[in-house]
Amino acid sequence: MMRGIALAAGGVKGAAHLALLEKTGDVFDVVTGSSIGSIVGALYALYSDPRMVREITFSIMKRHLQDLKKTESEGTWRGMFQRSLFKADLLFSVLKEVFGKKKFSDCRKKLGVVVFDTENMESLLVTEGFLIDAVVASSSVPGYFEPIWLGGDPVLDGGVLSPTPVSQARELGADFVVASTFNRKKDGKFKNHFEMFFVMDRWKEIILEQEELSRADFVVVHNVSESWNEFEKYHEIYRKALEDLKGVKWPW
């Protein structure tokens, strides 16, 4: 039986994925991910070592991704007149030292990175080429980052249509799929027009994800309430997830 793990999009909430992988150990043959799930998933597929994945991901969050907090004041005003707040170079500079020239063919596990094709308005499953290209594209949050050209099309964050890519794990041959996701609350409150877009996106994401999770064999919903870009809380999220997972009985 081929076990698969589908890692959800969610920014810093992805620290909970790290806790799950450490609790289960190296038991998955197939891994798919959107956004932060693609980063964690690609590292897991490359090294098959949950502790190493945790150390590298923490390093990324600690040294680089707090820059994404620049979304208020000056950043918000810039966002009104530009297609995005940040250039793609920021993500490439963050991830190039992690993935370098590694390719999907270098992975020890079957890996699928999900991106959103902005021209054809559909999710795409990337399974070949350079890891950094696919992971950067899958992590390009709409509005924050400009689209990345991949395979001749401009693509964005895989979480746009596939917040937890369960179907893609089955497409890659997984017989039993575990979904690792978060409690996405239907919060209708927002402070400004920028937050309004995220509130609407969250509602859409919940509806899409409910359908996708129904296709999983086992679902782990991490009790994480932090905003996706509160990267200074990565360790707190990880520790809480570890504690919550103590009582989980794994289906094998």
Side-chain angles (χ1 to χ4, degrees):
M1 180 177 70
M2 289 188 69
R3 297 191 188 113
I5 178 76
L7 303 173
V12 69
K13 298 177 184 181
H17 293 326
L18 305 172
L20 185 150
L21 290 175
E22 285 195 51
K23 282 291 185 180
T24 55
D26 184 20
V27 299
F28 298 106
D29 310 294
V30 175
V31 55
T32 56
S34 291
S35 201
I36 186 64
S38 74
I39 296 175
V40 175
L43 290 170
Y44 179 68
L46 264 178
Y47 300 112
S48 301
D49 184 340
R51 291 189 178 183
M52 180 181 293
V53 174
R54 184 238 302 165
E55 291 173 3
I56 296 174
T57 305
F58 277 4
S59 176
I60 292 171
M61 291 180 174
K62 182 177 180 180
R63 290 180 296 151
H64 300 290
L65 295 185
Q66 289 188 39
D67 290 341
L68 299 184
K69 292 289 289 181
K70 300 174 183 177
T71 57
E72 297 181 1
S73 61
E74 177 189 354
T76 301
W77 283 103
R78 285 171 52 201
M80 294 177 66
F81 305 103
Q82 299 180 179
R83 293 183 64 191
S84 62
L85 290 176
F86 302 101
K87 296 294 184 182
D89 290 350
L90 175 60
L91 275 176
F92 275 108
S93 66
V94 167
L95 297 173
K96 70 178 181 181
E97 55 193 84
V98 174
F99 294 107
K101 297 293 184 180
K102 298 285 187 182
K103 296 182 179 180
F104 279 81
S105 56
D106 295 315
C107 293
R108 301 179 183 180
K109 301 176 182 295
K110 193 174 290 188
L111 170 67
V113 171
V114 181
V115 301
F116 174 66
D117 184 338
T118 64
E119 284 200 352
N120 299 302
M121 306 300 280
E122 62 182 4
S123 290
L124 296 178
L125 182 62
V126 185
T127 59
E128 59 184 17
F130 289 105
L131 288 173
I132 189 169
D133 292 336
V135 170
V136 167
S138 184
S139 305
S140 296
V141 180
Y144 276 75
F145 294 101
E146 60 188 352
I148 305 298
W149 287 85
L150 198 65
D153 291 320
V155 300
L156 282 170
D157 195 311
V160 172
L161 282 184
S162 300
T164 308
V166 174
S167 297
Q168 288 86 347
R170 294 208 183 279
E171 185 179 335
L172 291 181
D175 303 303
F176 190 97
V177 180
V178 174
S180 177
T181 188
F182 320 103
N183 56 342
R184 307 184 193 275
K185 297 180 180 179
K186 295 182 178 180
D187 186 3
K189 299 178 182 178
F190 51 87
K191 299 176 184 177
N192 51 52
H193 81 286
F194 202 74
E195 290 187 1
M196 178 184 68
F197 290 116
F198 281 99
V199 169
M200 291 189 295
D201 188 64
R202 188 178 304 120
W203 277 77
K204 175 210 68 180
E205 186 178 52
I206 290 171
I207 295 172
L208 288 171
E209 187 174 50
Q210 286 174 343
E211 181 179 351
E212 194 65 18
L213 292 180
S214 69
R215 301 187 179 103
D217 297 291
F218 192 80
V219 178
V220 177
V221 181
H222 303 284
N223 185 25
V224 182
S225 58
E226 285 79 5
S227 176
W228 73 272
N229 60 342
E230 294 184 87
F231 285 98
E232 70 279 4
K233 297 183 179 180
Y234 67 91
H235 199 265
E236 177 184 333
I237 292 170
Y238 165 76
R239 298 289 296 180
K240 186 177 187 305
L242 273 181
E243 188 66 27
D244 291 343
L245 289 167
K246 282 184 178 179
V248 174
K249 293 183 178 179
W250 305 104
W252 49 73

